[in-house]
């Protein structure tokens, strides 16, 4: 299709911040031309649901942390990670920066389908680009004030983990390096990492903040060695923990275990902490749903909140006992829609009726899963939006970021298919005026 050449808010986006407006060899640019409006009450509910679910997820994480290693292994948690998942962290939460994802059901009600608790992206879109689009179209931005909230959140992390310390001999303050790291050949990861680093710099302008590519990272017995012979005090890593744990040095040494041993010894701190992987594991939603069904571990109010918002989720072993219906099959460590299948169960027999085939599947980095989970399939309503190649219809995935236990920026992706993957567009959200 021929591209639509019109002036849009996309031209107002800073390509030095939003570096992946034109992504890869896609015919269309990544942002939609149009915006999606919802009433303020909708965003209030999205944030309230995220905050409530977050408290429940943190409570359920203690169940997994206190369970036997056999239970953790049954959820396909890497054996090598288990020694590092019970280490107390500075803020007492299993994840500090996370993102809840929701879909809409046929009645327009939000239903939570996933959480990215380990390495959430979509930060530039939600905390920056959404506001540019709202202003261009003359709407209120549902994320007004979220940028300052993110800045203060990052400053709090810096001041707890890497505040300068007094050098009594020199009568000066010694700044301690806070390092932001990712693989710098992946544009989205690089842009999100640098965006967070720059927001932290706004909050702590005199801090020692540095970017370091994982390709250039060196560790020794004292920690993460930097170019000036200093060592990192704290590390933000945009690299999945379930992949890091299996990585090895060129000599075949267990790089992931060596890295986490240094963390365990207190050589540096990590954001997010390793135990974020507990919530990242897709079976965790099945655990939360099961706990709500027992009505013992969670309060009645918490059970009601799970029932209202969390899409019914099941362990793989429980699938045979489920009633006939349509389910989504997700691998435990899948990302970007990889290997997601739509399964129809009739008369006790299951058959795949659709399998997600993301674009550039070979570029999706994720751990091979040995287990899967199931969720009820929520048939979403369709929306119409304009992209470079014209007007298309599709479905929404709605997101809400959590900064510690506080809800923050919201965002949306727009996909021609009901199961969003790498082909999804960034769709700005605005406040619908009454």
């Amino acid at each position: 299709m021929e591209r639509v050449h019109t002036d849009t808010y996309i031209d107002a986006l800073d390509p030095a911040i939003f570096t992946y407006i034109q992504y890869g060899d896609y015919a269309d640019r990544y942002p939609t031309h149009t915006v999606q409006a919802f009433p303020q009450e909708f965003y209030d509910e999205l944030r309230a649901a995220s905050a409530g679910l977050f408290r429940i997820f943190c409570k359920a994480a203690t169940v997994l942390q206190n369970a036997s290693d056999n239970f953790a292994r049954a959820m396909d948690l890497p054996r090598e990670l288990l020694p590092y998942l019970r280490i107390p962290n500075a803020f007492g939460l299993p994840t500090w920066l996370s993102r809840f994802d929701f879909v809409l059901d046929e009645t327009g009600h939000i239903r939570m389908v996933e959480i990215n608790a380990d390495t959430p992206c979509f930060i530039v879109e939600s905390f920056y680009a959404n506001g540019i689009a709202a202003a261009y179209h003359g709407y209120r931005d549902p994320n007004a004030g979220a940028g300052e909230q993110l800045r203060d959140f990052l400053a709090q992390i810096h001041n707890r983990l890497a505040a300068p310390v007094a050098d009594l001999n020199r009568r000066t303050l010694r700044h301690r390096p806070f390092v932001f790291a990712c693989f710098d050949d992946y544009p989205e990861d690089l842009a999100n990492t640098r965006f967070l680093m720059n927001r932290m710099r706004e909050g702590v302008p005199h801090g020692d903040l540095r970017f370091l590519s994982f390709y250039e990272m060196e560790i020794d017995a004292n920690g993460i060695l930097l170019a000036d012979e200093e060592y990192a005090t704290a590390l933000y890593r945009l690299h999945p923990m379930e992949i890091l744990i299996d990585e090895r040095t060129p000599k075949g040494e267990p790089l992931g275990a060596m890295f986490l041993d240094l963390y365990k010894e207190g050589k540096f701190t990590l954001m997010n902490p390793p135990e974020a992987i507990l919530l990242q594991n897709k079976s965790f939603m099945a655990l939360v749903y099961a706990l709500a069904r027992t009505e013992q571990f969670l309060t009645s109010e918490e059970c009601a909140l799970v029932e209202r918002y969390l899409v019914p989720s099941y362990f793989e072993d429980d699938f045979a006992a489920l009633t006939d219906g349509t389910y989504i099959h997700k691998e435990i460590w899948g990302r970007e829609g990889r290997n997601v299948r739509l399964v129809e169960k009739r008369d006790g027999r299951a058959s795949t009726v659709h399998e997600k085939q993301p674009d550039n599947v070979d570029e999706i980095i994720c751990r091979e899963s040995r287990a899967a989970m199931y969720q009820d399939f929520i048939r979403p309503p369709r929306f119409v939006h304009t992209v470079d190649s014209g007007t298309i219809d599709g479905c929404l995935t709605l997101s809400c970021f959590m900064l510690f236990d506080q809800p923050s920026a919201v965002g949306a992706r727009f996909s021609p298919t009901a199961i969003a993957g790498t082909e999804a567009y960034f769709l700005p959200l605005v406040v619908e005026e009454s």
Side-chain angles (χ1 to χ4, degrees):
M1 298 178 69
E2 194 173 312
R3 285 170 64 130
V4 177
H5 294 281
T6 57
D7 291 335
T8 68
Y9 73 90
I10 303 172
D11 302 305
L13 297 172
D14 186 342
I17 298 174
F18 200 152
T19 60
Y20 45 102
I21 294 170
Q22 177 64 60
Y23 202 90
D25 57 0
Y26 286 104
D28 293 331
R29 288 174 295 175
Y30 171 41
T32 62
H33 293 204
T34 45
V35 298
Q36 177 66 48
F38 290 107
Q40 181 61 52
E41 294 76 18
F42 178 85
Y43 301 117
D44 293 343
E45 182 181 9
L46 192 65
R47 291 186 168 103
S50 298
L53 288 169
F54 183 84
R55 289 190 292 272
I56 293 168
F57 276 42
C58 289
K59 191 172 179 180
T62 63
V63 173
L64 197 46
Q65 284 178 303
N66 295 327
S68 69
D69 285 355
N70 287 338
F71 184 72
R73 292 292 298 130
M75 291 183 65
D76 200 21
L77 282 165
R79 184 186 306 277
E80 295 79 7
L81 264 180
L82 301 183
Y84 310 104
L85 301 182
R86 301 181 178 98
I87 301 170
N89 69 63
F91 294 96
L93 294 170
T95 177
W96 306 344
L97 172 63
S98 58
R99 190 194 76 227
F100 280 98
D101 289 341
F102 297 80
V103 296
L104 296 171
D105 64 20
E106 291 179 297
T107 68
H109 180 66
I110 56 172
R111 306 300 301 274
M112 182 254 168
V113 291
E114 287 198 4
I115 179 174
N116 191 323
D118 189 39
T119 55
C121 281
F122 204 58
I123 296 166
V124 174
E125 296 92 322
S126 303
F127 285 92
Y128 165 68
N130 202 91
I132 301 294
Y136 181 92
H137 285 276
Y139 285 95
R140 280 197 297 131
D141 178 14
N143 295 332
E148 292 76 13
Q149 186 186 14
L150 179 64
R151 177 200 64 201
D152 295 346
F153 159 78
L154 292 167
Q156 184 179 352
I157 290 174
H158 175 276
N159 294 338
R160 179 76 65 89
L161 303 184
V165 294
D167 186 330
L168 298 180
N169 292 328
R170 298 180 181 179
R171 296 185 178 181
T172 60
L173 288 177
R174 180 172 66 83
H175 290 277
R176 298 186 292 162
F178 197 118
V179 173
F180 287 76
C182 69
F183 286 104
D184 58 356
D185 55 355
Y186 191 48
E188 184 181 3
D189 284 8
L190 179 60
N192 278 268
T193 301
R194 287 196 176 278
F195 185 84
L196 288 174
M197 183 175 72
N198 290 333
R199 294 296 81 74
M200 181 179 281
R201 182 169 284 122
E202 290 175 2
V204 283
H206 303 296
D208 184 356
L209 310 184
R210 312 187 191 190
F211 175 80
L212 179 64
S213 170
F214 267 110
Y215 289 118
E216 299 169 357
M217 187 175 292
E218 296 182 26
I219 61 172
D220 64 20
N222 294 312
I224 301 169
L225 180 63
L226 305 176
D228 58 357
E229 303 301 314
E230 287 274 353
Y231 285 88
T233 297
L235 177 73
Y236 166 81
R237 47 150 193 102
L238 210 171
H239 185 44
M241 184 58 66
E242 74 270 16
I243 295 174
L244 173 64
I245 191 61
D246 284 340
E247 291 179 336
R248 294 186 170 272
T249 68
K251 297 180 179 179
E253 300 169 303
L255 177 63
M258 293 162 59
F259 180 88
L260 287 172
D261 280 341
L262 292 168
Y263 165 76
K264 190 175 183 180
E265 293 166 13
K267 302 297 186 182
F268 54 83
T269 55
L270 280 173
M271 173 190 176
N272 277 313
E275 55 269 33
I277 199 66
L278 297 172
L279 281 66
Q280 181 72 35
N281 180 318
K282 287 184 171 61
S283 277
F284 189 81
M285 289 178 288
L287 174 63
V288 171
Y289 189 71
L291 290 172
R293 295 291 291 270
T294 66
E295 300 183 348
Q296 293 179 350
F297 180 75
L298 302 177
T299 66
S300 58
E301 292 80 7
E302 290 168 336
C303 291
L305 193 144
V306 170
E307 181 71 23
R308 178 171 173 78
Y309 291 113
L310 179 60
V311 170
S313 305
Y314 316 98
F315 293 110
E316 189 172 29
D317 290 347
D318 295 334
F319 181 70
L322 298 180
T323 59
D324 287 357
T326 306
Y327 300 90
I328 289 186
H329 171 279
K330 297 180 180 180
E331 293 187 344
I332 295 301
W333 303 113
R335 291 173 179 261
E336 306 290 356
R338 183 174 179 262
N339 292 338
V340 173
R341 293 189 281 119
L342 203 58
V343 176
E344 194 82 24
K345 191 174 184 184
R346 290 288 177 265
D347 299 323
R349 296 183 178 181
S351 59
T352 297
V353 295
H354 175 72
E355 185 162 357
K356 180 71 177 177
Q357 298 292 342
D359 297 330
N360 305 321
V361 67
D362 294 338
E363 298 177 12
I364 299 174
I365 300 173
C366 62
R367 181 185 180 88
E368 291 300 320
S369 302
R370 296 191 300 179
M373 56 86 70
Y374 288 86
Q375 286 181 320
D376 286 1
F377 175 60
I378 303 297
R379 196 169 302 279
R382 308 289 289 187
F383 293 80
V384 175
H385 284 285
T386 301
V387 298
D388 284 343
S389 57
T391 299
I392 59 175
D393 78 316
C395 304
L396 305 185
T397 301
L398 298 151
S399 297
C400 179
F401 282 89
M402 296 293 299
L403 310 181
F404 297 135
D405 58 354
Q406 297 299 308
S408 186
V410 296
R413 282 161 290 166
F414 175 66
S415 173
T417 63
I419 304 171
T422 55
E423 79 295 329
Y425 298 90
F426 158 57
L427 172 64
L429 294 172
V430 298
V431 178
E432 182 178 276
E433 301 298 344
S434 56

